[in-house]
């Protein structure tokens, strides 16, 4: 059954979408706009303002004024209360936000409700609590100096300043919240640049921040392309920190731009996460786990379990069950409550994913199931399982960001450690087994920012999240998020 679009969601989509600067919606100075599409139909949904460097200048200036003015005047308890109010508003507007996200991003309405809204509200409440718990240390120093002089030293975490947040299209609202909320909890202000493809929930979030009572200019939203608006923000000398989630390729560009200005930065980048199945595991459990790890949000997840390593004794059984699950998934629009596989974000992404499958096949991979597009309309790719792959193939090495998993057998634990770590990325990994000794031996040997056991893709606001190797620099969530948005000042007092 297809969810009926709420008239208020339709009205929002049809409204004028300006840039949110200093609490006001305004067109781009050039008047430029860009289209936004519905991935389930390929049709244009609406148009939004396309910011250029001059618009970004205005947004950064507004964020600076707010940082030094209205926001600096708020006590930690005020910031906490405002963020708690924002969480309430996310929930109160939850169904609208979820429908909007599904229309713009293509993802399942269930996922939009549970993650983009539900997890975002939980995350907001968790981070709101940190606002009143940011503390420094009192240091017992041993400075050898003038006889009789005494010193007392302590540290003060101070808000880093104006944050440029650049987020991707795979979980547009949640990713925006992951950046904005800890930044605000720490006393920073933000200029948010949503992905080119998915600006709508970010704009609505900007409105909700104002509705919550967060002062004008604290959260600014500049829609536009990455190449123009994103680049202008990342390289802006007026920002103090860039918080980026996206591809490794663009993350490097952003890191370079940030270093040129000595802007602080954190990068949450790509992944090619291994799923390691040991042979004590039931093939049913392993296949269901592997399917969830890769097909969740059509594999458009930076931690997607896209490399599946199965111990040889159960390889055929797991593969067969995985193919059965993949072949049986309902494919349809995100608004269809029965649909389990939804469209990819864009025609470009669909073409890229299909191209990578084709290249894999040309290099010798065998398609166990899927491997092709689905339907006449919308950007669907059938859930795909490839096997007979070798470690040098592009499908094994590179992030596909689609519903495509490569399955490989292994014999020993040493072998699977080598296979799992033989990749430029190191974001997530999962181990499927109840053999505690083997699991505990594997965990420290896997080079990944998060290791799951008998689960995959599970994140919590309390768990630091980020990558080893080319998967990024820095951590989000937990106390790590507070460190990411504060400078540590040392104070030394002689008395
Ligand atoms: P994807 O390939 O998944 O779209 P990207 O890394 O290209 O991932 O995009 C992630 C975010 O980075 C988006 O908001 C995008 O607009 C932005 N972006 C893309 N190119 C640049 C750039 N050169 N400078 C700054 N931001 C960019």
């Amino acid at each position: 059954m297809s969810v009926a679009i709420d008239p208020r969601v339709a009205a929002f989509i049809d409204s004028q979408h300006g840039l949110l600067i200093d609490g006001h919606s305004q067109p781009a100075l050039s008047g430029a706009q860009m289209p936004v599409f519905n991935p389930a139909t390929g049709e244009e949904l609406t148009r939004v303002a396309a910011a250029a460097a001059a618009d970004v200048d205005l947004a950064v200036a507004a964020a600076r004024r707010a940082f030094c003015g209205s926001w600096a005047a708020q006590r930690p308890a005020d910031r906490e209360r405002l963020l708690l109010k924002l969480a309430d508003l996310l929930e109160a507007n939850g169904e609208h936000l979820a429908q909007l996200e599904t229309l713009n991003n293509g993802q399942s309405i269930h996922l939009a409700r549970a993650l983009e809204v539900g997890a975002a509200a939980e995350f907001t409440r968790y981070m709101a609590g940190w606002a009143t718990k940011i503390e420094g240390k009192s240091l017992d120093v041993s400075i050898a100096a003038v006889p009789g002089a005494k010193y007392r030293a302590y540290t003060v975490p101070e808000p880093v300043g104006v944050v440029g947040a650049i987020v991707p299209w795979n979980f547009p609202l949640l990713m925006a919240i992951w950046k904005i909320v800890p930044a605000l909890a720490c006393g920073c202000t933000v200029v948010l640049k949503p992905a080119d493809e998915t600006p709508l929930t970010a704009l609505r979030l900007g409105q909700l921040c104002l509705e919550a009572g967060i002062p004008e200019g604290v959260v600014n939203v500049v829609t536009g392309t990455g190449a123009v608006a994103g680049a202008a923000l990342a390289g802006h000398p007026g920002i103090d920190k860039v918080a980026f989630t996206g591809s490794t390729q663009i993350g490097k560009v952003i890191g370079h731009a940030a270093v040129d200005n000595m802007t602080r930065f954190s990068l949450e980048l790509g992944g090619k996460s291994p799923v390691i199945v040991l042979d004590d595991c039931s093939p049913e459990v392993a296949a269901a786990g592997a399917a969830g790890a890769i097909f969740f949000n059509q594999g458009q997840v930076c931690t997607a379990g896209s490399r599946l390593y199965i111990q040889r004794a159960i390889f055929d059984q797991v593969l067969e069950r995985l193919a059965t699950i993949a072949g049986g998934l309902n494919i349809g629009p995100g608004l269809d409550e029965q649909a389990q596989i939804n469209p990819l974000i864009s025609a470009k992404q669909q073409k890229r994913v299909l191209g990578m499958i084709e290249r894999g096949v040309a290099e010798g991979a065998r398609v166990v199931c899927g491997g092709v597009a689905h339907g006449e309309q919308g950007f669907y790719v059938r859930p795909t399982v490839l096997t007979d792959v070798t470690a040098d193939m592009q499908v094994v090495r590179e992030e596909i960001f689609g519903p495509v998993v490569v399955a490989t057998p292994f014999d020993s634990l040493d072998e699977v450690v080598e296979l799992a770590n033989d990749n430029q990325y190191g974001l997530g990994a999962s181990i499927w087994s109840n053999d505690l000794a083997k699991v505990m031996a594997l965990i420290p040997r896997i080079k990944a920012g998060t290791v799951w056991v008998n689960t995959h893709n599970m994140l919590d606001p309390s768990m630091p999240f980020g990558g080893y190797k080319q998967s990024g620099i820095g951590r989000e969530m937990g106390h790590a998020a507070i460190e990411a948005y504060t400078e540590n000042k040392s104070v030394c007092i002689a008395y």
Side-chain angles (χ1 to χ4, degrees):
M1 249 228 340
S2 186
V3 173
I5 296 298
D6 189 292
R8 280 167 291 182
V9 175
F12 176 77
I13 289 172
D14 290 339
S15 65
Q16 287 290 323
H17 299 292
L19 310 170
L20 183 69
I21 297 178
D22 223 354
H24 304 286
S25 176
Q26 55 192 70
L29 291 169
S30 69
Q33 293 190 325
M34 57 196 274
V36 178
F37 296 96
N38 177 347
T41 61
E43 286 161 10
E44 188 174 310
L45 259 184
T46 186
R47 299 177 79 75
V48 298
D55 302 294
V56 173
D57 286 344
L58 294 179
V60 171
R64 175 65 57 194
R65 281 193 301 278
F67 177 68
C68 299
S70 57
W71 199 230
Q74 307 273 341
R75 298 172 309 147
D78 300 325
R79 300 201 301 268
E80 176 179 26
R81 211 171 1 256
L82 290 168
L83 290 173
L84 290 173
K85 177 85 169 99
L86 177 64
D88 291 345
L89 285 174
L90 287 170
E91 281 177 350
N93 292 273
E95 183 59 19
H96 294 176
L97 287 164
Q99 291 185 10
L100 189 61
E101 199 71 288
T102 293
L103 282 167
N104 187 182
N105 165 279
Q107 69 183 220
S108 159
I109 187 73
H110 300 299
L111 226 144
R113 287 170 182 152
L115 289 187
E116 304 278 6
V117 177
E122 290 289 314
F123 179 85
T124 302
R125 292 199 180 100
Y126 171 91
M127 281 296 162
W130 271 114
T132 50
K133 290 153 199 81
I134 299 170
E135 54 192 22
K137 290 191 168 112
S138 175
L139 309 170
D140 199 3
V141 294
S142 311
I143 299 168
V146 186
K150 289 184 182 167
Y151 297 90
R152 168 55 57 190
Y154 60 91
T155 63
V156 192
E158 296 184 343
V160 71
V162 174
V163 174
I166 302 178
V167 295
W169 46 256
N170 60 340
F171 292 101
L173 180 60
L174 185 62
M175 293 297 109
I177 292 273
W178 275 18
K179 307 271 185 272
I180 290 177
V181 172
L184 265 52
C186 292
C188 299
T189 58
V190 178
V191 177
L192 171 71
K193 212 296 281 172
D196 313 25
E197 296 84 351
T198 51
L200 296 182
T201 48
L203 289 169
R204 187 72 190 107
L205 174 62
Q207 293 177 345
L208 292 177
C209 287
L210 291 169
E211 209 175 301
I214 294 168
E216 294 173 352
V218 173
V219 176
N220 305 273
V221 184
V222 289
T223 52
T225 65
V228 177
L233 184 58
H236 203 291
I239 61 169
D240 303 298
K241 151 117 193 170
V242 193
F244 174 78
T245 298
S247 63
T248 295
Q249 185 198 353
I250 299 298
K252 288 183 181 180
V253 173
I254 284 174
H256 283 294
V259 168
D260 278 346
N261 291 324
M262 278 305 153
T263 304
R264 281 70 184 121
F265 63 93
S266 51
L267 306 171
E268 200 268 275
L269 308 177
K272 190 75 181 174
S273 300
V275 173
I276 299 168
V277 178
L278 304 191
D279 60 12
D280 67 285
C281 198
S282 118
E284 281 77 19
V285 169
I294 184 63
F295 299 134
F296 165 62
N297 205 26
Q298 297 67 249
Q300 301 172 125
V301 181
C302 47
T303 50
S306 51
R307 290 184 293 145
L308 176 58
Y309 297 109
I310 309 166
Q311 207 157 14
R312 200 172 299 277
I314 58 168
F315 181 79
D316 291 340
Q317 297 166 59
V318 175
L319 195 65
E320 190 193 318
R321 283 166 177 78
L322 176 60
T324 306
I325 294 172
L329 293 171
N330 274 323
I331 304 179
L335 286 174
D336 176 350
E337 290 188 309
Q338 310 306 322
Q340 295 156 300
I341 289 284
N342 313 112
L344 300 190
I345 186 71
S346 63
K348 182 175 140 208
Q349 185 64 10
Q350 183 194 37
K351 192 166 164 227
R352 187 174 163 275
V353 170
L354 292 172
M356 288 182 82
I357 296 171
E358 263 171 45
R359 175 150 165 204
V361 171
E363 288 177 351
R366 177 166 65 85
V367 178
V368 181
C369 67
V372 291
H374 168 88
E376 300 298 311
Q377 201 194 27
F379 312 131
Y380 297 94
V381 171
R382 286 182 188 270
T384 300
V385 181
L386 302 176
T387 192
D388 296 345
V389 293
T390 52
D392 56 334
M393 289 181 185
Q394 187 200 38
V395 282
V396 177
R397 307 213 70 78
E398 290 183 20
E399 183 173 45
I400 299 178
F401 227 61
V404 184
V405 61
V406 293
T408 309
F410 70 90
D411 292 301
S412 70
L413 295 198
D414 285 345
E415 184 190 359
V416 80
V417 166
E418 198 164 310
L419 287 167
N421 290 336
D422 178 23
N423 196 271
Q424 61 176 324
Y425 295 114
L427 193 57
S430 62
I431 302 165
W432 296 76
S433 170
N434 284 315
D435 186 328
L436 191 59
K438 287 181 182 164
V439 169
M440 295 303 279
L442 277 175
I443 292 170
R445 298 181 70 189
I446 301 297
K447 300 270 179 280
T450 301
V451 176
W452 291 284
V453 178
N454 295 329
T455 187
H456 196 105
N457 282 334
M458 288 299 147
L459 301 175
D460 185 89
S462 68
M463 290 167 56
F465 178 67
Y468 282 32
K469 305 196 276 187
Q470 299 278 321
S471 290
I473 293 178
R475 293 289 181 272
E476 302 192 277
M477 316 275 202
H479 188 259
I482 300 307
E483 288 166 23
Y485 293 100
T486 48
E487 287 275 15
N488 213 0
K489 177 179 280 177
S490 284
V491 179
C492 179
I493 300 172
Y495 64 98

